[in-house]
């Protein structure tokens, strides 16, 4: 299923949200058409972070296995880092 969804996303990147809504098993991201919080460094799965931080805007990722799920990302934009006072 992940390969089928990724192929459809590559063929029609503008339909990524609808594909996520239709196929995602994660109820929260499916209901938001695949939108997730920005992926920050050193706070989650290393493979997911690696994939996210090597993408350019508009890219569709390879299939990323994380625990018992398969994830496909679409890079919407990069957000600049900011300094937070201690």
């Amino acid at each position: 299923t992940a390969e089928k969804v990724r192929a459809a996303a590559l063929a029609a990147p503008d339909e990524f949200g609808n594909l996520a809504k239709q196929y995602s098993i994660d109820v929260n991201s499916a209901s938001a058409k695949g939108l997730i919080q920005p992926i920050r460094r050193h706070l989650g799965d290393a493979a997911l972070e690696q994939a996210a931080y090597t993408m350019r805007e508009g890219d569709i990722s390879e299939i990323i296995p994380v625990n018992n799920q398969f994830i496909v990302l679409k890079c919407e934009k990069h957000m600049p880092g900011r300094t937070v006072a201690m």
Side-chain angles (χ1 to χ4, degrees):
T1 302
E3 290 173 358
K4 175 180 148 183
V5 172
R6 181 176 183 271
L10 288 170
D14 291 339
E15 290 297 312
F16 188 88
N18 291 327
L19 291 167
K21 183 177 180 179
Q22 182 177 355
Y23 291 102
S24 180
I25 61 171
D26 177 65
V27 177
N28 293 324
S29 67
S31 66
K33 290 191 167 186
L35 288 175
I36 60 172
Q37 293 292 318
I39 297 172
R40 297 173 15 190
R41 285 218 188 259
H42 313 296
L43 294 177
D45 182 83
L48 186 65
E49 290 177 15
Q50 175 65 27
Y53 278 84
T54 58
M55 296 174 71
R56 295 184 313 253
E57 292 183 15
D59 283 354
I60 305 290
S61 74
E62 297 293 328
I63 297 168
I64 309 159
V66 176
N67 296 326
N68 61 347
Q69 297 181 27
F70 297 100
I71 297 174
V72 177
L73 299 173
K74 179 181 178 191
C75 180
E76 292 292 330
K77 70 176 184 176
H78 289 273
M79 300 173 67
R82 61 185 175 125
T83 303
V84 178
M86 297 293 256

